Amino acid sequence: MSAAASSSQGGAEGGTHPPGEEEQGESSAYYECNICLDTAKDPVVSMCGHLFCWPCLHQWLETRPNRQMCPVCKAGIGKDKVVPIYGRGCTKPQDPREKMPPRPHGQRPEPENAGGIFPGFGFGDGGFHMSFGIGAFPFGMFASTFNFNDGRPGPPPPASPQHAEEQFLSKFFIWVAVLFIFWLLIA
Amino acid sequence: MANIAEARIKREFKEVVKSEEVAKCHIKVELVNDTFTELRGEIAGPPDTPYEGGNFILEIKIPDTYPFNPPKVKFVTKIWHPNISSVTGAICLDILKDQWAAAMTLRTVLLSLQALLAAAEPDDPQDAVVAKQYKENPKIFQDTAKHWTHVYAGGPNRTPELDAKVAQLSGMGFDANKVRVALSSHSWDAERATEYLIS
Ligand SMILES: [Zn+2]
Ligand SMILES: [Zn+2]
């Protein structure tokens, strides 16, 4: 029956708002939440492109925690797979957040980092610096040679906080590994 | 009733009322009370089916958790269909159960039910007797469904042979509706139907 159901649903999208028949003008219909059918509040959009109020979508996801699908097209969906939409007018202080959880934050993925993936797994400090330098060098050259118009930042310079953090993490994992091997030996 | 449920039903109600299907008299929704918790739906039997020309009334109950949970729908008009109980009118349709999605509306539900009348799913039956007949004896199924449509849903297509059989057994003092069920469930074999009615 799902075939018949989805075909009639397809009809719904075309037929719900016949051209030039909507009271508030056709354009507002595009910004209606697909669950409450009102103009979307705290809007989020799914990967499949369907618009919802965040409170509405949240309640839908809570209703069926083990089968999370888009209420419109039944594509996979999840709290971490929706993008909030910030219109120009929403810089003013937001209405008091009700008991609903806040909208998920926009994702700001780290720029790709050639040297950052395996920043040297050699033992000792020197080995780490060496391999990082080698890893970052071709990328830096590539960036400076070809990426004139691309504003993408390159790998973090050695003095940046990010670099220090990577260095710290790297050292930390090496120590964990060493302790683990030591424990294996004495066990 | 929860705020969102009522607000949504109001919007949907308007949507159905001005939809083109209503204009063509294919579907219809009416309010039963002021609180929008219960509605009365109506669908026309699809053309080229035994249900053609019939009007089928539906009871629609809107739960507090609507639209996060589906409306509760059943047939008020008696109907002979593998996925609808010939006794209670209960419907077996996935979108009214686990395949419900919050973006579906009264309109899509009514259209899906209409589609169900046009394409039964005998492998997922609500009424086992009807489903068996649908699979094993399509001709008798068609005639029976047509007969029920004429008697209960005001369909124009008469089935004189079957009418006569019902009249014959009713003349023996049985209730006509019970006679119809007995005959329909026993391939219109008057002897077996009588046995069933007596037992
Ligand atoms: Zn909404
Ligand atoms: Zn979708």
Side-chain angles (χ1 to χ4, degrees):
Chain A
M1 233 4 265
S2 41
S6 51
S7 73
S8 51
Q9 237 185 302
E13 279 174 356
T16 314
H17 308 289
E21 210 209 81
E22 208 54 32
E23 305 124 20
Q24 301 165 353
E26 177 71 359
S27 62
S28 70
Y30 290 109
Y31 303 104
E32 280 172 10
C33 164
N34 280 287
I35 293 178
C36 67
L37 314 183
D38 212 333
T39 305
K41 296 183 285 285
D42 290 343
V44 294
V45 68
S46 60
M47 293 299 190
C48 46
H50 291 114
L51 180 70
F52 308 96
C53 310
W54 170 240
C56 288
L57 185 64
H58 180 262
Q59 197 174 340
W60 169 248
L61 296 175
E62 293 285 293
T63 308
R64 289 152 192 248
N66 43 353
R67 296 201 328 106
Q68 307 220 315
M69 59 182 191
C70 170
V72 181
C73 70
K74 300 191 173 176
I77 199 171
K79 276 179 204 182
D80 50 344
K81 292 195 187 92
V82 295
V83 178
I85 296 172
Y86 303 118
R88 187 165 166 268
C90 70
T91 45
K92 63 177 189 287
Q94 298 239 315
D95 7 346
R97 294 258 178 219
E98 295 133 333
K99 50 264 158 201
M100 288 300 167
R103 254 185 302 181
H105 298 291
Q107 290 169 9
R108 303 206 62 245
E110 287 299 320
E112 278 179 36
N113 191 331
I117 302 166
F118 292 109
F121 249 80
F123 288 91
D125 218 4
F128 167 72
H129 272 296
M130 185 72 78
S131 60
F132 179 81
I134 290 164
F137 175 66
F139 183 86
M141 206 168 78
F142 178 81
S144 58
T145 314
F146 299 107
N147 284 5
F148 293 112
N149 301 325
D150 193 349
R152 222 167 13 158
S160 76
Q162 194 191 347
H163 176 260
E165 194 180 304
E166 277 170 3
Q167 201 175 353
F168 170 75
L169 275 177
S170 161
K171 276 186 189 167
F172 175 75
F173 280 119
I174 287 164
W175 277 110
V176 169
V178 168
L179 283 173
F180 183 66
I181 290 163
F182 182 67
W183 176 76
L184 277 179
L185 286 175
I186 62 163
Chain B
M1 193 179 196
N3 230 359
I4 177 166
E6 188 174 337
R8 224 191 90 146
I9 287 295
K10 280 182 185 164
R11 283 178 168 268
E12 284 188 44
F13 191 74
K14 280 188 207 152
E15 175 196 304
V16 183
V17 167
K18 64 182 182 189
S19 70
E20 55 182 304
E21 291 86 1
V22 165
K24 291 180 191 157
C25 302
H26 295 167
I27 60 170
K28 196 166 147 186
V29 189
E30 286 171 358
L31 290 176
V32 172
N33 54 28
D34 294 336
T35 57
F36 289 85
T37 52
E38 198 177 327
L39 299 111
R40 207 180 86 120
E42 206 175 307
I43 55 175
D48 305 317
T49 70
Y51 312 104
E52 180 169 13
N55 263 316
F56 297 87
I57 312 289
L58 300 151
E59 176 193 284
I60 305 170
K61 289 189 169 162
I62 307 295
D64 262 1
T65 50
Y66 187 80
F68 302 101
N69 286 303
K72 293 182 172 61
V73 187
K74 69 173 200 172
F75 275 78
V76 175
T77 306
K78 282 183 168 294
I79 183 168
W80 192 253
H81 186 285
N83 305 106
I84 303 156
S85 166
S86 59
V87 183
T88 63
I91 304 165
C92 179
L93 179 61
D94 56 4
I95 63 150
L96 293 176
K97 294 169 186 168
D98 58 328
Q99 289 298 310
W100 171 255
M104 290 178 180
T105 63
L106 292 174
R107 183 175 161 275
T108 54
V109 165
L110 293 182
L111 293 176
S112 298
L113 285 171
Q114 213 170 28
L116 182 68
L117 295 192
E121 300 256 317
D123 293 324
D124 188 19
Q126 177 73 37
D127 196 311
V129 176
V130 185
K132 192 163 180 283
Q133 187 182 74
Y134 180 94
K135 283 195 192 175
E136 292 175 0
N137 212 329
K139 172 75 179 97
I140 290 186
F141 166 79
Q142 290 272 328
D143 289 346
T144 309
K146 207 181 284 177
H147 175 76
W148 282 53
T149 303
H150 175 68
V151 174
Y152 297 116
N157 301 316
R158 303 189 71 96
T159 45
E161 244 178 86
L162 306 188
D163 293 343
K165 283 188 179 178
V166 174
Q168 189 197 339
L169 282 192
S170 308
M172 293 162 65
F174 295 112
D175 172 67
N177 288 328
K178 283 182 183 157
V179 167
R180 189 167 291 110
V181 171
L183 284 166
S184 300
S185 314
H186 294 92
S187 304
W188 296 88
D189 182 330
E191 217 167 287
R192 282 169 58 212
T194 316
E195 269 171 44
Y196 172 82
L197 284 166
I198 293 167
S199 65

